[in-house]
Amino acid sequence: MDPEAVRKYSALHAKPDGLVLQYGTAGFRTKAERLDHVMFRMGLLAVLRSKQTKSTIGVMVTASHNPEEDNGVKLVDPLGEMLAPSWEEHATCLANAEERDVWRVLMDISEKAAVNLQQEAFVVIGRDTRPSSERLSQSVIDGVTVLGGQFHDYGLLTTPQLHYMVYCRNSSGRYGEATVDGYYQKLSTAFVELTKQAFCGGNEYRSLKVDCANGVGALKLREMEPYFSQGLSVQLFNDGTKGKLNHLCGADFVKSHQRPPQGMEMKSSERCCSFDGDADRIVYYYSDTDGHFHLIDGDKIATLISSFLKELLVEIGESLNIGVVQTAYANGSSTRYLEEVMKVPVYCTKTGVKHLHHKAQEFDVGVYFEANGHGTVLFSKAAEMKIKQLAKELEDKKRKAAQMLANVIDLFNQAAGDAISDMLVIEAILALKGLTVQEWDALYTDLPNRQLKVKVADRQVISTTDAERQAVTPPGLQEAINDLVKKYKLSRAFVRPSGTEDVVRVYAEADSQVSWDSAGEKVGSERLTTEVAGGGGGEKGKLF
């Protein structure tokens, strides 16, 4: 490690004056032209993290569902999981360091994290299809090489595919082969095996319309289709041949606007789904015979999957503990259906994938999905070994159920939420259970709900507890919310500060549209306002 070489290269990737960025759940994200220095420095950091863990580390260049003009970067830890929180702090510190301090900050991180600087380092890199991504990937490579790290550039990948590659490399191939073909083979083989029973039963050939958000998911799904085409036909829309990334399309657009993406013609009762720009989110939807749009979000995806898994576990007679992890944004109807009908325990965590993922790891089978369609299923090593052993030992129906569970384990990308993997799981379950998209949607009826984003001068005035469902400060706020919601059946509401900007996020739900609209009016009333700036001496701002 040569400090002069680092200083020389760092000067070629200079930080813009006054720019301060924060590493969050999604890594760094901002306008692409501001990110050159960040990419270089994340290459440096990836080398240190690789040395410290003695493992391959991933660097993904993407801004997911953000506009095409943006970009971003996040690091992937050894088991395909998100970067450890302590290293998020190191990333923020390094990204914001002044030019003259970069080497010193690197040495500080090395000392604090007990990094053996003589240890070899290996970094794998992936990128999405944004015009800026190839150039910014090269900046990452510059950072890796100047610290003497080795690297493999996978080029265009979905974000979940890079997570998969990292996990494969650090499991000595036990999780799978660390190639794009290995990813396609593993998932497709599991899908075909899982659906054999459904398709040999005379089901009609299944087809699905997929909105790929003009992103990398289109390239990868088109490459992968021949591997599973005997069980599913996919028709791709917004495939990147025209149109901008995430513009009027993609999972985030469909969920936010509650309407189909541009460029997709929907016939009555056709199954349709949307990925986001880097293919780590998925939502389903359809149009009924009256032309009304119906969204099937992450809550209903989690319900379908966890119900299916619970039925298989009951069939094989194993008492493996299964849990569903939600956030406060999960619709109350989904929680009630899981707990009261399916008898599946539900747990609530703070908003953010890292919190859900961490909680899901506590179960033999942990299911988590955010309402936005980001999620997966985690199987403990002990549960995976047990299920795969039972698939060999049991007889008749029990053995078939165990084999199906074993295929589900291989079909899920347990390293990260993965739109392609989730899509194949959903399609397999619908086929096996003989469910139409309307029947899936009818498992329960969502409570009418409203989400608001209110700009405030200082979001830190609000603090929360109980997985962000109860406001602790300012005094009197939670009492006011309680007074409001107790007037309406099956109602609840909460406020929480945004993690990234000075806004307060508000959620409210009630038993009917009338109550919802009425609650919405109350939410905007002067009765639920508070001082939100200057520690109590600033402007008045409505929190609801």
Side-chain angles (χ1 to χ4, degrees):
M1 293 175 58
D2 182 350
E4 286 307 313
V6 171
R7 292 188 182 101
K8 177 182 175 182
Y9 268 82
S10 186
L12 298 176
H13 301 279
K15 182 174 86 73
D17 290 338
L19 181 62
V20 177
L21 297 171
Q22 177 79 31
Y23 193 106
T25 299
F28 291 110
R29 285 187 196 170
T30 187
K31 296 297 181 188
E33 62 267 21
R34 298 177 176 178
L35 281 169
D36 181 57
H37 75 291
V38 174
M39 298 294 177
F40 171 73
R41 296 178 186 191
M42 290 307 99
L44 300 175
L45 190 71
V47 170
L48 294 187
R49 182 62 171 159
S50 178
K51 289 175 180 288
Q52 192 231 15
T53 60
K54 300 179 182 178
S55 303
T56 296
I57 295 297
V59 180
M60 185 69 198
V61 178
T62 182
S64 189
H65 57 276
N66 281 36
E68 189 175 276
E69 296 76 21
D70 292 354
N71 217 318
V73 60
K74 61 180 180 180
L75 272 63
V76 179
D77 256 0
L79 297 182
E81 72 271 56
M82 285 166 288
L83 186 64
S86 60
W87 280 75
E88 289 184 6
E89 295 177 16
H90 295 327
T92 298
C93 186
L94 182 58
N96 293 324
E98 295 304 321
E99 203 64 48
R100 63 182 179 276
D101 296 327
V102 169
W103 179 259
R104 178 185 60 78
V105 171
L106 283 173
M107 293 302 99
D108 286 348
I109 294 169
S110 299
E111 184 177 342
K112 289 177 182 176
V115 177
N116 176 7
L117 298 177
Q118 304 308 311
Q119 176 69 36
E120 293 184 352
F122 197 87
V123 177
V124 292
I125 302 159
R127 67 176 189 271
D128 70 11
T129 55
R130 294 166 196 272
S132 60
S133 289
E134 186 171 4
R135 172 180 58 83
L136 292 175
S137 289
Q138 184 57 52
S139 299
V140 174
I141 292 170
D142 287 350
V144 172
T145 55
V146 77
L147 280 190
Q150 300 296 308
F151 72 93
H152 178 79
D153 182 8
Y154 279 101
L156 293 171
L157 286 181
T158 70
T159 294
Q161 285 178 332
L162 185 73
H163 285 258
Y164 167 88
M165 302 303 174
V166 173
Y167 195 4
C168 288
R169 284 176 176 269
N170 290 316
S171 65
S172 301
R174 290 188 303 275
Y175 186 66
E177 181 186 330
T179 64
V180 173
D181 186 66
Y183 171 91
Y184 295 156
Q185 291 278 10
K186 181 180 180 183
L187 270 63
S188 297
T189 299
F191 173 76
V192 171
E193 286 297 316
L194 186 58
T195 53
K196 271 182 180 177
Q197 181 182 350
F199 298 128
C200 71
N203 285 34
E204 63 181 21
Y205 194 66
R206 299 177 66 85
S207 62
L208 175 69
K209 289 186 172 180
V210 185
D211 158 35
C212 297
N214 288 315
V216 67
L219 301 178
K220 299 306 172 182
L221 191 54
R222 183 173 286 116
E223 288 177 0
M224 187 177 181
E225 186 180 10
Y227 291 77
F228 61 75
S229 57
Q230 68 188 81
L232 177 68
S233 170
V234 291
Q235 186 178 359
L236 307 190
F237 296 84
N238 298 311
D239 63 356
T241 54
K242 58 182 178 180
K244 292 178 68 175
L245 179 69
N246 294 321
H247 181 61
L248 302 178
C249 59
D252 193 58
F253 172 84
V254 171
K255 177 156 177 35
S256 299
H257 293 83
Q258 298 281 312
R259 62 186 176 92
Q262 189 178 69
M264 178 186 282
E265 290 292 327
M266 288 176 60
K267 295 178 181 176
S268 173
S269 304
E270 283 185 324
R271 280 190 334 284
C272 306
C273 69
S274 285
F275 296 173
D276 67 339
D278 64 339
D280 66 356
R281 295 185 186 184
I282 184 171
V283 294
Y284 269 69
Y285 45 92
Y286 68 97
S287 177
D288 64 24
T289 53
D290 295 323
H292 296 137
F293 177 83
H294 294 259
L295 176 72
I296 301 179
D297 64 8
D299 292 343
K300 279 202 169 146
I301 292 173
T303 301
L304 177 75
I305 292 170
S306 56
S307 299
F308 178 70
L309 295 176
K310 174 72 180 296
E311 290 167 1
L312 291 179
L313 289 170
V314 170
E315 180 67 39
I316 65 175
E318 280 299 311
S319 57
L320 297 174
N321 69 317
I322 181 172
V324 176
V325 187
Q326 298 180 329
T327 71
Y329 287 103
N331 195 277
S333 288
S334 70
T335 309
R336 274 184 287 276
Y337 178 83
L338 285 166
E339 291 183 330
E340 297 173 11
V341 179
M342 294 308 302
K343 308 300 181 186
V344 174
V346 178
Y347 301 84
C348 189
T349 70
K350 292 173 64 176
T351 304
V353 175
K354 62 184 177 184
H355 301 298
L356 288 103
H357 193 92
H358 180 73
K359 184 66 179 178
Q361 289 175 319
E362 296 179 8
F363 306 98
D364 293 323
V365 183
V367 182
Y368 75 86
F369 275 84
E370 293 184 291
N372 63 25
H374 189 285
T376 189
V377 177
L378 305 180
F379 293 84
S380 70
K381 289 298 178 190
E384 180 176 343
M385 290 175 62
K386 180 72 171 176
I387 290 167
K388 291 189 174 181
Q389 187 63 33
L390 289 172
K392 299 175 183 177
E393 296 176 350
L394 294 175
E395 295 181 0
D396 302 328
K397 288 179 67 176
K398 286 190 174 185
R399 181 176 184 178
K400 188 174 293 184
Q403 288 172 336
M404 290 167 71
L405 273 171
N407 287 323
V408 169
I409 290 171
D410 289 339
L411 185 47
F412 270 113
N413 183 347
Q414 296 186 58
D418 184 337
I420 294 175
S421 166
D422 294 341
M423 178 194 78
L424 293 175
V425 171
I426 291 164
E427 290 300 310
I429 294 173
L430 293 177
L432 287 162
K433 295 179 72 68
L435 287 175
T436 65
V437 68
Q438 299 96 319
E439 290 168 334
W440 173 20
D441 190 27
L443 289 176
Y444 63 83
T445 302
D446 278 330
L447 290 172
N449 60 86
R450 176 168 292 170
Q451 295 187 46
L452 302 172
K453 185 169 76 170
V454 182
K455 288 199 172 186
V456 295
D458 181 11
R459 69 183 186 273
Q460 302 301 334
V461 168
I462 298 176
S463 61
T464 64
T465 188
D466 188 26
E468 303 176 314
R469 293 177 290 188
Q470 297 283 316
V472 177
T473 61
L477 175 58
Q478 189 58 50
E479 289 75 10
I481 296 172
N482 294 343
D483 288 343
L484 170 63
V485 298
K486 69 184 181 184
K487 298 176 182 179
Y488 305 98
K489 187 178 179 183
L490 299 178
S491 68
R492 67 184 180 97
F494 66 88
V495 298
R496 55 175 287 270
S498 167
T500 56
E501 53 185 325
D502 273 322
V503 299
V504 173
R505 302 190 185 276
V506 183
Y507 180 90
E509 67 181 31
D511 68 319
S512 68
Q513 192 75 35
V514 174
S515 295
W516 176 44
D517 289 340
S518 178
E521 292 170 11
K522 299 273 186 173
V523 161
S525 75
E526 289 296 326
R527 294 174 58 237
L528 293 178
T529 62
T530 190
E531 293 181 357
V532 295
E539 301 173 4
K540 294 277 188 178
K542 294 179 181 178
L543 296 181
F544 287 82

